[in-house]
Amino acid sequence: MRFLHTSDWHLGRTIRQISRQPEFEAVLAEVVEIARAEDVDAVLIAGDTYDTFAPPPDAEKLLYATLRDLLDHGIKVVMIAGNHDHARRMDAMAGVLRVAGIHASGAPSREAPYVPLRLPSRDGSEAATIVALPWVPERDAVEYEHMLGTVEGATARYAGQMERVIQHFCNAFAGDTANILLGHMMIGGVTIGEGSGERQLHTGQAFAVPASCLPSTATYIALGHVHRPQEIACPSPAYYSGSLLQLDFGEAEQQKGVNIIDAHARRPAVIRRVPLTKGRGLRNVRIRLDELPAMGGRYTDEYLRVFVDLDRPEPGLFDKVRDVLPNALDVKHLLPDATADGDAHAGASDHRAASPEELLTRFYRQKHGADIAPELLSLFSELYRAEAERAPA
Amino acid sequence: MDGVTKDPVGLVIGTDDAFALEFWVWVYPHAYLQLDDVVTVPIRLPDDREVRLHGIVDRVRSRYEGARFDSDAEAAREQRLPVGIANAAHVTVTRVEPEIFVAPFPGAAVYASEGATRDEALYFDKMRADRTAFCAGFARDGRPIYGNIEFLDGTRGAHMNISGISGVATKTSYALFLLYSLLNSDVLGAHAGNTRAVIFNVKGEDLLWLDKPNGKLDADARARYESMGLPVGPFTDVGIRAPVQKESGHMTPASDTRKEGVTAYAWPLAQFCRERLLKFLFADADNETSQLSFVVRLVEEWLADVRNIADPDEHGFVSVIGGSEIVTVRGFWDLVRAIEADITSIAPHAADGTRNAFIRRLYDAAQTTGHLIRAIPPREAEAHSIRVLEGRADGGNSRVTVVDIHALPDKAKRFVVGVVVKGIVEAKERIGSGRPLVFLVLDELNKYAPREGWSPIKEVILDIAERGRSLGVILVGAQQTASEIERRVTSNAAFRVAGRLDTAEASRGEYGFLTDAAKARASILKPGTMFLHQPEIPVPLLVQFPFPAWATRKDEVDRAAEASGPPLRPRKA
């Protein structure tokens, strides 16, 4: 059987109040086209379809239009709730969606025992056993334990409970079907962050599931939650497909994509990463102020976060940058490292004795690496005195 | 009694002692017993309980009864001497059920075992009931011989060691048959898809074709596979990796007979530095504590440090920034020269002689292995790496990976084996689970884990021999003579297999698992026949295995069957 694995659509997401709806429409059309061209049997959506519990109508419309396009091509859909989705709302819809050929799972039912999905291929010649594990909130697993003890105890307990749940569910994996685990969770050892801030997140630092808890009998493990596409070192092939668009500047310049998986009983999965090309890119740019004029006309298609190296604070910097780079959504000042200044922390103990003006002067030097302008200081003194006189003794 | 011949084949004799664990059987004139036949003796005890003694024939003899002199043979043949011919078979007991260890009574009827009784005699009944039986070959009569997967997968034991003189192409063929049987039967259950095998091709290009059907397979061999419920065909989901061509600037595989479907492998310079692979170039370092190993360690640490070696650029070139001058390294020779230029500061306390010895050996290594360590653009590096448990997308999820090393010089062979095996162990440690299993098939084990001396590769192999059970890395090692192999490697193998051995070798202690009769037979074993010993069965069993269903040479490839293979899923327009 052939599957398309995607996740973390976050429909309804904006960036600095700018709607990304047109980009979502374009990239989902691209996903549908890939699914059609690859002739997949089913699309696996590993959670966080919406950005919020109460998504805007446009987002809902886009989701249902996309699902309908897939169904029109005879493609089934298996989807689970992520931490951004409203699990109970998804479950409320599940019965109707089921009739259409969409298997949606919001939260594991408390009433009925878990029954994994057995999904036949379109030609009926083979089948897949699909364990769909939506997001399990920490509070469900841990209750108030962290209030009683250490956080480490709570994270370990969460990991232990998730391990038992996964093992119990995955006992259903059989020798005569392709076996798929679809899950929305944080796996220990995953790489998060960007550039030099990139780091591995380990179990114990957060509510994460150790990779060794994942089953060794899965043909493929389709994960959602982390937006950076990556493979997880795990007993079975396990991938985060990542988001569709670069959703914030932490994901700048990441190549987004979907995975195509050929999965058959007792055979290793054949996995291909298919890049997505639609949507606007996000880029971090670092410049000196004097380089700014020469930047005109560049990066016309990307949203920018611009870091400007400055010697001193530059009033109106945002507008100056926007004049040259209209796609700049965010401008950061990079001032010389003032903490290197010897007296930055001097007198920290005698701040009670210092006058407000002295404190501001020190603060300004520490923050901006330059002396405060005399006019600004006298304005501050005037305002401070006026305020002090009004305050009750 | 079920599962035995209707009529007995003979009787327990009383002219020689019968013991609880061995006895002689006189064979009726109308019947015969031959070596490896399985027999059963049911006995009724005075308290009315029935005991079944099962055993296997390991010696047969025939003699004139009533003759006194050797020359009586002539008189008997001319019917001048009234003698009878007596055929007898020696039986070694394999199992007593229930466990009441009595000697069989002389005169007790002996039956040839079939079906369920044969399974009980050879402990196959329990293996099949527990679903832990895999087909390990066939007896000479064509009936299956099973192995217990629990002694191979780490549950109760692990590893297999195969000995036998070369030239009969038996050791690797048997290892491959076993793998084929494991991967295509039900014994691995839902784990079958993720189980991995890494096979080093050490001789010829025989193993580069195992993903192609064998056109020379006859109907008998087909029937053998089918009788075990195994498909008849080549290995599936195979990745074939050959070393990059020495003189080529491109990533072209150096395999003579096969080009299509073969991917060239090499290691990027940056990975060589960061992952401390230098020691595997000094795999013949004979002493862990020598000064030379110390210099190797220092250089390794120096190369691994980002303050000395910068990250690679888009061509895969790395810059040496920690040396006396900044150098761009475009190939392994550049790296050698950069190390040489700064060796005094890298290893300041080493003696000049040691430093010179290091540089001399580094030059040798660059000559033999340097082409396998080169500038590879980072975006192409994954495609040319040997991926077993990681990097599974885009062609990296092969179930069977064949790593061709046959044409490499010995030093380079050791480097490749050392680095690949280390990579598997490290990936397993990261995954932190004994499943899925990784089978590591390595012939010429004596090169990598010799009895004498120490080397970084021996250390990795020993590590697998000792920790592989819990890691889920199963070493299927083969060599001509087990006496040349580090004892801890052979002694950790639960399955021991011996093919044809010369008499002197067979008498060594490493073959203690063979009975005296088996040792004597080992020198006349035909190709395709082995003795298999496994912990549950007290005697080694003679196994045969069918002609490979996969090609072992280019001219064996069945072009017609290949063309009609499983249809590829078309991409819609």
Side-chain angles (χ1 to χ4, degrees):
Chain A
M1 289 180 74
R2 183 170 285 182
F3 297 95
L4 183 150
H5 166 206
T6 176
S7 75
D8 296 86
W9 292 4
H10 287 270
L11 300 180
R13 173 72 78 101
T14 60
I15 184 159
R16 306 292 191 274
Q17 278 87 51
I18 298 171
S19 165
R20 305 195 74 180
Q21 181 75 9
E23 295 176 71
F24 280 123
E25 285 169 9
V27 78
L28 281 176
E30 189 179 14
V31 171
V32 171
E33 173 52 26
I34 293 169
R36 189 197 65 80
E38 296 283 356
D39 196 18
V40 302
D41 290 289
V43 168
L44 310 169
I45 309 172
D48 284 357
T49 318
Y50 291 131
D51 194 46
T52 60
F53 278 22
D58 277 356
E60 289 192 282
K61 186 177 174 187
L62 180 55
L63 172 65
Y64 291 118
T66 305
L67 294 177
R68 189 204 57 221
D69 286 349
L70 291 171
L71 294 169
D72 278 350
H73 293 301
I75 297 165
K76 300 263 193 296
V77 176
V78 186
M79 59 193 294
I80 54 174
N83 50 319
H84 283 253
D85 296 307
H86 198 307
R88 280 160 55 207
R89 183 166 290 162
M90 187 182 278
D91 280 334
M93 299 279 296
V96 173
L97 293 175
R98 175 73 194 78
V99 175
I102 296 166
H103 301 267
S105 177
S109 166
R110 287 161 199 264
E111 285 78 40
Y114 182 76
V115 181
L117 172 66
R118 191 182 166 92
L119 190 76
S121 64
R122 200 176 304 146
D123 61 7
S125 64
E126 55 182 336
T129 302
I130 302 180
V131 169
L133 184 63
W135 172 252
V136 179
E138 299 93 7
R139 62 173 186 278
D140 282 14
V142 185
E143 300 288 338
Y144 301 103
E145 189 162 348
H146 66 283
M147 296 171 72
L148 306 173
T150 60
V151 176
E152 286 75 25
T155 56
R157 192 173 154 95
Y158 178 74
Q161 292 182 344
M162 288 297 287
E163 177 173 14
R164 286 202 297 281
V165 167
I166 292 168
Q167 280 179 357
H168 176 69
F169 285 9
C170 292
N171 277 339
F173 284 159
D176 60 349
T177 58
N179 299 315
I180 309 279
L181 170 63
L182 175 66
H184 191 89
M185 62 186 98
M186 179 67 88
I187 303 290
V190 69
T191 303
I192 54 172
E194 53 168 317
S196 56
E198 194 172 272
R199 63 189 200 278
Q200 287 202 322
L201 186 91
H202 293 287
T203 325
Q205 292 169 345
F207 288 98
V209 181
S212 58
C213 297
L214 295 174
S216 53
T217 47
T219 313
Y220 182 80
I221 300 179
L223 296 168
H225 194 48
V226 175
H227 294 183
R228 178 197 165 94
Q230 60 191 295
E231 181 183 18
I232 296 296
C234 150
S236 299
Y239 282 81
Y240 281 108
S241 67
S243 50
L244 298 175
L245 300 176
Q246 294 162 15
L247 291 175
D248 64 40
F249 284 103
E251 301 171 39
E253 293 170 64
Q254 280 176 10
Q255 174 64 58
K256 301 297 186 182
V258 296
N259 285 1
I260 299 289
I261 305 102
D262 284 316
H264 306 284
R266 294 195 293 193
R267 296 276 298 272
V270 176
I271 304 153
R272 279 175 298 135
R273 290 173 290 202
V274 180
L276 293 170
T277 59
K278 300 288 195 265
R280 298 173 72 164
L282 268 54
R283 183 181 284 272
N284 292 306
V285 182
R286 181 167 177 174
I287 54 169
R288 288 195 315 273
L289 189 57
D290 58 351
E291 292 170 326
L292 183 62
M295 307 291 289
R298 293 179 65 181
Y299 310 121
T300 51
D301 201 39
E302 289 158 303
Y303 290 125
L304 302 179
R305 177 165 65 174
V306 183
F307 294 84
V308 186
D309 283 306
L310 296 170
D311 297 329
R312 58 179 62 247
E314 182 73 27
L317 181 66
F318 188 73
D319 291 334
K320 284 180 190 164
V321 171
R322 282 289 289 263
D323 284 347
V324 181
L325 298 168
N327 292 336
L329 300 186
D330 199 356
V331 176
K332 300 275 187 208
H333 304 234
L334 293 176
L335 287 158
D337 187 6
T339 51
D341 198 349
D343 66 349
H345 292 290
S349 58
D350 63 354
H351 65 275
R352 286 167 200 280
S355 72
E357 286 81 3
E358 274 176 55
L359 285 173
L360 179 67
T361 307
R362 245 186 247 166
F363 171 77
Y364 193 93
R365 191 181 302 133
Q366 192 182 334
K367 183 87 180 162
H368 301 302
D371 283 326
I372 189 165
E375 314 87 85
L376 194 58
L377 191 61
S378 61
L379 181 63
F380 168 76
S381 302
E382 196 178 308
L383 289 168
Y384 182 82
R385 267 194 304 278
E387 200 60 27
E389 279 162 21
R390 281 203 310 164
Chain B
M1 188 173 158
D2 287 341
V4 295
T5 46
K6 203 170 104 221
D7 299 314
V9 290
L11 303 170
V12 176
I13 65 171
T15 40
D16 254 327
D17 293 339
F19 298 100
L21 296 179
E22 56 172 327
F23 55 88
W24 283 92
V25 179
W26 171 71
V27 184
Y28 284 126
H30 58 80
Y32 67 91
L33 282 176
Q34 61 162 329
L35 296 180
D36 309 318
D37 278 347
V38 183
V39 297
T40 298
V41 188
I43 308 176
R44 192 164 292 280
L45 296 177
D47 60 9
D48 232 24
R49 280 190 291 175
E50 188 177 84
V51 177
R52 295 183 306 282
L53 281 90
H54 301 289
I56 192 159
V57 174
D58 62 357
R59 268 179 284 167
V60 287
R61 74 169 193 220
S62 185
R63 57 156 73 146
Y64 278 132
E65 275 183 323
R68 287 182 62 200
F69 306 106
D70 295 344
S71 59
D72 284 348
E74 190 182 23
R77 199 170 71 125
E78 291 167 2
Q79 299 190 337
R80 287 186 282 120
L81 195 68
V83 292
I85 293 177
N87 287 314
H90 181 264
V91 174
T92 297
V93 172
T94 54
R95 186 170 179 181
V96 181
E97 210 49 60
E99 282 196 324
I100 301 169
F101 287 92
V102 292
F105 309 136
V110 179
Y111 298 85
S113 313
E114 291 172 336
T117 308
R118 178 177 178 273
D119 283 355
E120 183 176 289
L122 300 176
Y123 298 83
F124 297 160
D125 55 337
K126 190 158 188 317
M127 293 181 204
R128 295 179 71 179
D130 296 346
R131 305 175 71 83
T132 58
F134 65 92
C135 176
F138 300 88
R140 276 183 305 122
D141 59 11
R143 282 185 281 200
I145 299 280
Y146 294 102
N148 189 342
I149 187 76
E150 290 195 336
F151 286 100
L152 200 54
D153 70 5
T155 313
R156 294 201 276 167
H159 310 311
M160 174 175 282
N161 188 271
I162 308 174
S163 304
I165 58 173
S166 67
V168 283
T170 309
K171 294 178 305 247
T172 314
S173 306
Y174 184 60
L176 286 179
F177 169 74
L178 272 182
L179 271 184
Y180 185 81
S181 166
L182 286 170
L183 295 175
N184 290 290
S185 66
D186 288 329
V187 72
L188 296 170
H191 283 105
N194 287 331
T195 301
R196 294 288 173 269
V198 179
I199 306 171
F200 289 95
N201 181 56
V202 296
K203 268 176 292 188
E205 297 194 345
D206 327 357
L207 304 184
L208 301 191
W209 301 96
L210 51 75
D211 58 336
K212 305 283 184 195
N214 192 330
K216 305 208 164 143
L217 195 68
D218 59 18
D220 279 357
R222 272 174 192 283
R224 282 271 171 112
Y225 285 99
E226 282 160 2
S227 73
M228 287 312 303
L230 294 174
V232 188
F235 282 85
T236 57
D237 309 291
V238 176
I240 297 175
R241 306 277 180 270
V244 67
Q245 258 180 19
K246 193 164 186 175
E247 308 306 335
S248 171
H250 301 286
M251 294 299 289
T252 319
S255 46
D256 299 333
T257 57
R258 181 169 177 181
K259 296 287 182 204
E260 56 82 31
V262 179
T263 312
Y265 67 79
W267 283 267
L269 287 161
Q271 186 188 354
F272 175 82
C273 297
R274 294 280 185 270
E275 297 185 5
R276 299 178 169 85
L277 305 183
L278 180 73
K279 58 173 143 325
F280 294 106
L281 288 177
F282 293 79
D284 48 355
D286 44 10
N287 194 341
E288 195 176 355
T289 55
S290 76
Q291 284 298 310
L292 186 68
S293 317
F294 180 58
V295 175
V296 171
R297 263 310 286 278
L298 289 174
V299 175
E300 248 180 20
E301 291 306 322
W302 186 79
L303 290 173
D305 193 330
V306 285
R307 286 171 300 184
N308 298 323
I309 307 288
D311 283 333
D313 64 9
E314 75 270 22
H315 305 291
F317 300 157
V318 296
S319 296
V320 178
I321 49 177
S324 43
E325 55 184 319
I326 292 176
V327 192
T328 303
V329 173
R330 294 184 169 80
F332 192 69
W333 277 107
D334 290 347
L335 194 64
V336 169
R337 280 186 280 268
I339 293 169
E340 187 179 11
D342 284 303
I343 189 66
T344 3
S345 60
I346 298 169
H349 302 301
D352 279 350
T354 314
R355 286 200 291 253
N356 289 340
F358 170 82
I359 295 295
R360 200 170 58 239
R361 288 177 188 223
L362 189 60
Y363 268 76
D364 283 352
Q367 189 61 43
T368 56
T369 320
H371 66 292
L372 296 179
I373 303 151
R374 53 170 67 199
I376 306 175
R379 56 171 58 227
E380 292 168 31
E382 188 171 72
H384 294 289
S385 63
I386 295 172
R387 298 170 277 170
V388 178
L389 291 163
E390 289 172 331
R392 299 195 237 209
D394 304 319
N397 204 24
S398 309
R399 175 151 62 185
V400 177
T401 304
V402 179
V403 182
D404 180 35
I405 53 173
H406 82 279
L408 293 173
D410 269 4
K411 267 197 169 76
K413 279 185 184 167
R414 292 201 180 97
F415 176 79
V416 174
V417 171
V419 173
V420 170
V421 174
K422 170 182 180 267
I424 293 171
V425 171
E426 286 176 351
K428 268 293 198 179
E429 284 171 345
R430 272 195 293 279
I431 288 170
S433 161
R435 292 287 185 285
L437 296 177
V438 179
F439 289 93
L440 192 65
V441 181
L442 183 56
D443 198 353
E444 299 186 350
L445 194 59
N446 49 310
K447 280 200 177 116
Y448 310 102
R451 179 155 295 184
E452 308 299 332
W454 173 92
S455 75
I457 290 163
K458 182 172 171 181
E459 194 170 81
V460 191
I461 302 279
L462 254 177
D463 189 33
I464 288 188
E466 295 182 336
R467 276 198 312 144
R469 236 185 103 177
S470 53
L471 280 175
V473 181
I474 310 302
L475 178 66
V476 180
Q479 67 285 319
Q480 290 199 38
T481 51
S483 55
E484 287 177 308
I485 305 293
E486 164 65 41
R487 268 199 191 82
R488 283 181 287 169
V489 172
T490 45
S491 65
N492 271 298
F495 279 78
R496 315 266 186 100
V497 181
R500 195 161 177 170
L501 297 172
D502 69 44
T503 323
E505 176 70 14
S507 64
R508 304 187 70 130
E510 285 76 16
Y511 304 94
F513 62 91
L514 294 177
T515 58
D516 288 346
K519 281 178 189 168
R521 280 171 79 190
S523 61
I524 56 161
L525 283 182
K526 280 188 178 173
T529 309
M530 323 283 278
F531 277 111
L532 169 74
H533 173 78
Q534 56 180 318
E536 242 177 349
I537 306 178
V539 292
L541 301 179
L542 189 93
V543 295
Q544 295 185 324
F545 52 95
F547 192 70
W550 48 93
T552 60
R553 292 193 304 274
K554 190 175 187 174
D555 61 349
E556 279 181 354
V557 175
D558 185 346
R559 295 291 168 197
E562 194 190 0
S564 66
L568 290 171
R569 192 159 189 161
R571 192 185 155 98
K572 286 187 186 172

